[in-house]
């Protein structure tokens, strides 16, 4: 049979095939071939002996979270508690885009902001929408469901941002565990321990463990391609890295306020450090 891995706990792989779940083991040959089955993998398996026999070719793969064959990745980003980090957001977006996955940004805890802070985040939401990344707040779940309809989707984001809470609102029957922010540490407590795909209506959605730090996985020369607003066609040199080159339109746009200064600063940090 052919099915999709929806959960991995220790060495037990749960495969969804024809709306039935099969608990399977993986053949030792995968270790010899240096292959690791991932949540999201389409696999051939023996439904009687409960062994995964073959991993089908992947269309993409993410490392944070570790999942394969996803159409979209919802970046769940807290406005407060834990505090917003533009650097972490842009690192997540970079990894997602360079992995050939479409990103969506969902801001949570917007209600905790002051009036001035809300205005700042409203401008940020408009900016990301204008450059081509669907961005919304978590109270607009109807829009989110339209964006992910028919897709295989994963959530990613810092610990305590509210990933499990969003899935619980999309499907109240799941009742995934959530927890409060640690007041002492100022960040979330881990409640999700492993990646798991859930079937909700006409889409699959994955809850994933959170994190507080992240590295960019791709070659530094490719990072500029993840910044949609960086237009090399306007630069003097076609291979412009947008750092210190003469005639760089990106730098001109930053100085003119067209490109968000924090975005450009985050880009430089990723490339130079």
């Amino acid at each position: 049979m052919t099915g999709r891995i929806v959960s991995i706990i220790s060495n037990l792989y749960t495969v969804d095939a024809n709306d039935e779940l099969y608990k399977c083991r993986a053949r030792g040959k995968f270790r010899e071939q240096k292959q690791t089955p991932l949540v999201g993998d389409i696999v051939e398996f023996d439904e009687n002996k409960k062994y995964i026999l073959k991993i089908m070719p992947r269309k993409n793969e993410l490392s944070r979270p570790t999942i394969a064959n996803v159409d979209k990745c919802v970046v769940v980003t807290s406005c407060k508690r834990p505090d917003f980090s533009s650097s972490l957001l842009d690192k997540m977006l970079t990894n997602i885009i360079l992995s050939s996955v479409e990103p969506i940004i969902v801001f949570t805890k917007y209600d905790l902001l002051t009036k001035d802070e809300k205005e700042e985040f409203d401008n940020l939401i408009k900016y990301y929408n204008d450059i081509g990344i669907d961005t919304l707040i978590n109270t607009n779940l109807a829009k989110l469901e339209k964006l992910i309809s028919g897709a295989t989707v994963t959530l990613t984001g810092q610990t305590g941002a509210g990933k499990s809470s969003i899935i619980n609102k999309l499907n109240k029957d799941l009742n995934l565990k959530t927890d409060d922010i640690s007041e002492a540490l100022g960040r979330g407590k881990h409640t999700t321990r492993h990646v798991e795909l859930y079937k909700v209506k006409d889409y699959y959605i994955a809850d994933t463990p959170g994190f507080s730090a992240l590295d960019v996985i791709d070659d530094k020369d490719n990072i500029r391609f993840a910044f949609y607003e960086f237009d090399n066609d306007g630069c003097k040199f076609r291979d412009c890295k947008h750092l210190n080159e003469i005639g760089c339109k990106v730098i001109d746009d930053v100085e003119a306020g067209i490109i968000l200064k924090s975005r450009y600063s985050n880009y430089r940090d990723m490339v130079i450090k």
Side-chain angles (χ1 to χ4, degrees), residues 62 65 70-78 88-90 92-97 100-108 125 128-129 131-138 140-157 163 166 170 203-205 228:
L62 288 170
V70 293
D71 302 306
K72 301 183 180 187
C73 183
V74 179
V75 183
V76 182
T77 305
S78 174
L88 184 58
L89 173 59
D90 285 333
M92 288 188 285
L93 292 172
T94 297
N95 283 341
I96 292 161
I97 293 167
S100 301
V101 178
E102 180 184 341
I104 299 169
I105 301 171
V106 174
F107 282 107
T108 61
I125 290 168
Y128 280 108
N129 274 310
I131 65 171
I133 300 174
D134 287 309
T135 306
L136 57 149
I137 60 175
N138 64 315
N140 196 353
L141 291 183
K143 180 179 178 181
L144 178 61
E145 285 211 294
K146 285 183 180 179
L147 291 173
I148 63 178
S149 177
T152 298
V153 183
T154 184
L155 273 63
T156 188
K163 298 182 295 297
I166 287 175
L170 293 172
Y203 55 89
Y204 278 98
I205 192 164
Y228 293 153

Side-chain angles (χ1 to χ4, degrees), residues 184 239 241 247:
D239 62 345
K241 302 293 194 299

